[in-house]
Amino acid sequence: MSLSLKASPLPPGSTLGILGGGQLGRMLSQAASRLGFNVVILDPEENSPAGRVSQGQIVAAYDNPTALTVLGQSCEVVTFEFENVPAGSVERLAEGGAVVAPGPRALAVAQDRVDEKTFLNSVGATTVDFAAVDSLNDLISALDRLGTPALLKTRRDGYDGKGQVWIRSVKMAADAWQAIGQCPAILEARADFVRELSVIAARGRDGRIAVYPLGENIHKGGVLKTTIAPAAVEPKTTKRARAIATAILEGLDYVGVLGVELFDLGNGQLLVNEIAPRVHNTGHWTQDGCVCDQFEQHIRAIAGWPLGPTTAHARVEMTNLLGDEIEQWTTLSARADTRLHLYGKAEARPGRKMGHVNRVKPL
């Protein structure tokens, strides 16, 4: 861990920088404000959701050298809200003397699916079998080794089901390769899993780790629809998930909150699907299910404060509001058991995450 991240905790009144102005940046900024911090956002979109609840926003591309210099000089620590921020931008900030958490390595690993799975297996966080694919011949060879069905994904930039296609026979190889734009890819063997789980965990500047209860996730059309937490899991499943999260956090010398998506094979066996070096959609339940939610936890970690408690005080069903589902806000806001979280986005496009609701029930 760098010497700068071992420094004293940042006092209230310090300024934090966030690369990204979307909903995650917005909720991070709101959490930081509750703790007395000032926040500056860097995002190319004017009047971004996060910018509107922050002290200020720098409107510029993420790789704009001048903007990065200003951000780094204005803030005691800089973080990011999504993993498609250019890794070079984070490296430039660090090289310029800014404190960045999580660091450039975590971002670089998460941005390349082959590098990500290679790293995960190296620290004992097992994944499905996989193969790097750089050509149609590579794809055919990988299908011969891994079998079908198998999932072809772009190595970079895919999210919410984009940039991926299932291959159910070798005859589909050429069409699948065309469908992802003939770009560097990864082929993943199919996982025979019972359900999808996730674990949200944090590591502080002092190396201490805090892990939230697991959530069970339901997807629709490649996009997360619902998370139910705490998930009904056996103690050995919880123990394994904690071990996986700890290995990843320590392997990356990570500071901040991390999301880990898991395939539950049953009987305490878990495979890692992917990681997100940031606060995560499947952790939104913590806003109404825990004393310290994932957003406050991330701010605490990067600011060098003690990590907060992760014990659940309620059972929560988190549901994403996609596209015009946002129009249900009047009905949802009237329910006594429901907390409504809206992101302040102007345009409700199909599939776009406009907000979420947490339905709160006793444990």
Side-chain angles (χ1 to χ4, degrees):
M1 189 179 294
S2 67
L3 290 175
S4 56
L5 280 179
K6 288 183 178 178
S8 300
L10 296 179
S14 301
T15 300
L16 314 181
I18 300 176
L19 291 166
Q23 68 263 20
L24 299 180
R26 182 184 179 97
M27 290 182 278
L28 282 169
S29 182
Q30 290 169 325
S33 178
R34 288 198 307 272
L35 298 181
F37 293 110
N38 301 311
V39 176
V40 176
I41 303 295
L42 173 58
D43 191 279
E45 177 189 331
E46 216 170 319
N47 199 33
S48 70
R52 293 200 301 276
V53 299
S54 301
Q55 182 187 35
Q57 177 181 339
I58 301 169
V59 181
Y62 295 124
D63 58 357
N64 183 298
T66 302
L68 290 169
T69 298
V70 171
L71 185 71
Q73 292 178 349
S74 304
C75 302
E76 279 77 14
V77 64
V78 179
T79 191
F80 44 87
E81 66 136 14
F82 72 119
E83 60 267 42
N84 288 332
V85 170
S89 297
V90 176
E91 290 169 0
R92 180 185 286 270
L93 281 165
E95 288 168 359
V99 177
V100 184
R105 183 174 178 232
L107 188 62
V109 165
Q111 285 183 342
D112 185 301
R113 289 188 169 99
V114 172
D115 291 347
E116 179 185 66
K117 281 188 164 49
T118 300
F119 162 76
L120 289 169
N121 284 283
S122 75
V123 296
T126 312
T127 70
V128 296
D129 200 1
F130 66 96
V133 174
D134 293 307
S135 67
L136 179 57
N137 285 338
D138 285 348
L139 177 56
I140 292 170
S141 296
L143 286 167
D144 184 57
R145 181 169 71 84
L146 300 181
T148 56
L151 186 59
L152 181 67
K153 298 179 179 178
T154 55
R155 281 182 71 152
R156 292 178 172 271
D157 298 333
Y159 64 97
D160 285 348
K162 298 177 177 66
Q164 62 185 52
V165 59
W166 277 100
I167 301 178
R168 308 200 179 276
S169 72
V170 177
K171 294 178 181 178
M172 296 176 62
D175 287 343
W177 183 236
Q178 289 283 346
I180 66 162
Q182 301 182 7
C183 60
I186 183 172
L187 186 71
E188 298 177 1
R190 180 179 178 275
D192 187 17
F193 60 94
V194 177
R195 57 182 172 172
E196 293 187 37
L197 301 171
S198 60
V199 60
I200 306 298
R203 184 169 179 264
R205 290 188 185 184
D206 58 2
R208 293 185 181 179
I209 289 172
V211 183
Y212 288 93
L214 275 70
E216 180 174 353
N217 306 315
I218 300 165
H219 290 77
K220 184 177 179 181
V223 180
L224 178 71
K225 186 59 182 173
T226 301
T227 295
I228 301 169
V233 294
E234 297 179 0
K236 57 186 174 183
T237 302
T238 296
K239 182 179 179 181
R240 178 58 184 150
R242 287 177 173 270
I244 287 170
T246 298
I248 296 168
L249 290 167
E250 292 181 342
L252 291 172
D253 195 16
Y254 195 91
V255 174
V257 164
L258 175 86
V260 185
E261 296 181 7
L262 302 161
F263 294 133
D264 181 9
L265 307 185
N267 199 33
Q269 298 181 69
L270 298 171
L271 296 178
V272 180
N273 179 23
E274 60 183 29
I275 61 174
R278 53 171 171 81
V279 288
H280 196 251
N281 197 167
T282 64
H284 290 354
W285 72 272
T286 62
Q287 290 174 298
D288 299 297
C290 300
V291 171
C292 179
D293 66 39
Q294 66 165 341
F295 300 100
E296 179 179 327
Q297 194 76 282
H298 187 77
I299 298 301
R300 283 171 169 264
I302 67 173
W305 287 27
L307 296 183
T310 56
T311 304
H313 59 67
R315 188 173 303 282
V316 177
E317 181 180 303
M318 188 286 301
T319 301
N320 280 324
L321 299 177
L322 306 176
D324 60 10
E325 291 175 349
I326 189 68
E327 301 302 329
Q328 303 170 28
W329 66 267
T330 49
T331 302
L332 293 169
S333 63
R335 294 187 54 162
D337 66 342
T338 297
R339 289 288 302 278
L340 183 61
H341 300 264
L342 303 181
Y343 304 153
K345 295 180 179 179
E347 184 183 358
R349 297 192 298 268
R352 190 183 196 195
K353 293 172 182 172
M354 301 298 295
H356 67 272
V357 292
N358 282 336
R359 292 184 174 88
V360 182
K361 304 175 183 179
L363 279 174

